[in-house]
Amino acid sequence: MVPEHYFSENPSAEYSEKTISVRLGKHDVTVVTSSGMFSPDHVDTGTKVLLEHIEAAPDHGNLLDIGCGWGPISLALAMARPNTTVWALDVNRRALEITAKNAARLGLKNIRCVLESDVPADLKFTGIWSNPPIRVGKSVLHGLLKSWLPRLEKSAEAYLVVQKNLGADSLLKWMQDEFPLLASERVNSEKSFRVLRSTMKG
């Protein structure tokens, strides 16, 4: 059974903040995390694999992190690409509070921590980076990707990391069938994770 906490808007798990030291991209930083969200003790393996590709992130425009958690991807993007605006998106309000706290700790002014309703309907993204919440179930996951992937600007790219045994290859096939305006492919396979890239055709 999937724990309710990190998929919930307001987690029922008791708030228990901790401080951890992590490497995000090229930066060694100290951040806070909490119970009631994904991987509160460390940067999970999938996110580490995804961040190996962070140099592919554009240096302009709006970047989106779907399911930001305590913020490892958003923080890494904001540090690596200070001239962008990083939209840290989550359904979990505790995750958004923690990500905002970490952005403040690190002096990052270019992160916006948002619910889906906070994102302007006409906003397009120059990049999407995500370790998506696979365990929410196929229908919810597909709905998330249908909402956000079509909002890439022309020639912009989305990078997703998905564990192989949680359906990375079948998800890639679905993306290829579902989004004819996107060129979707696997660009890396490491430590049982796949990195999938989707490029909006120009």
Side-chain angles (χ1 to χ4, degrees):
M1 182 175 179
V2 175
E4 64 84 24
H5 47 266
Y6 79 84
F7 305 130
S8 303
E9 182 176 352
N10 295 293
S12 61
E14 182 180 353
Y15 185 87
S16 178
E17 188 175 297
K18 66 176 68 178
T19 302
I20 60 174
S21 295
V22 294
R23 186 167 183 83
L24 301 176
K26 295 181 178 179
H27 301 271
D28 293 308
V29 297
T30 300
V31 298
V32 295
T33 71
S34 170
S35 56
M37 63 187 63
F38 177 63
S39 192
D41 300 316
H42 60 279
V43 180
D44 66 285
T45 302
T47 295
K48 287 181 180 178
V49 170
L50 180 65
L51 291 180
E52 291 176 4
H53 297 264
I54 198 168
E55 292 304 316
D59 60 4
H60 64 283
N62 294 284
L63 306 180
L64 175 66
D65 173 10
I66 303 171
C68 66
W70 56 261
I73 295 171
S74 292
L75 298 170
L77 287 170
M79 289 187 288
R81 299 292 184 260
N83 294 323
T84 65
T85 298
V86 179
W87 297 77
L89 175 73
D90 211 296
V91 68
N92 184 330
R93 291 179 182 272
R94 184 179 298 179
L96 298 179
E97 291 170 5
I98 291 288
T99 299
K101 183 177 289 190
N102 284 326
R105 285 173 64 97
L106 299 176
L108 300 171
K109 308 290 189 182
N110 58 329
I111 293 181
R112 296 187 182 184
C113 300
V114 293
L115 299 167
E116 181 176 357
S117 59
D118 298 324
V119 182
D122 59 350
L123 188 69
K124 296 283 190 177
F125 297 98
T126 53
I128 295 175
W129 292 73
S130 179
N131 183 350
I134 296 297
R135 295 182 187 276
V136 295
K138 187 177 293 185
S139 62
V140 175
L141 175 65
H142 287 181
L144 276 173
L145 298 181
K146 286 178 182 179
S147 293
W148 299 109
L149 291 184
R151 295 177 65 169
L152 284 168
E153 293 186 359
K154 287 184 178 180
S155 302
E157 298 174 333
Y159 282 79
L160 310 178
V161 64
V162 182
Q163 196 164 354
K164 180 181 177 181
N165 65 6
L166 292 180
D169 294 337
S170 61
L171 179 65
L172 175 59
K173 178 64 166 60
W174 174 81
M175 291 165 60
Q176 291 169 335
D177 294 339
E178 182 69 26
F179 302 110
L181 294 180
L182 294 172
S184 297
E185 59 186 334
R186 186 179 79 207
V187 294
N188 191 25
S189 182
E190 182 180 344
K191 299 176 183 176
S192 80
F193 286 88
R194 310 286 208 210
V195 177
L196 311 179
R197 181 176 63 199
S198 292
T199 306
M200 182 62 74
K201 297 176 182 177

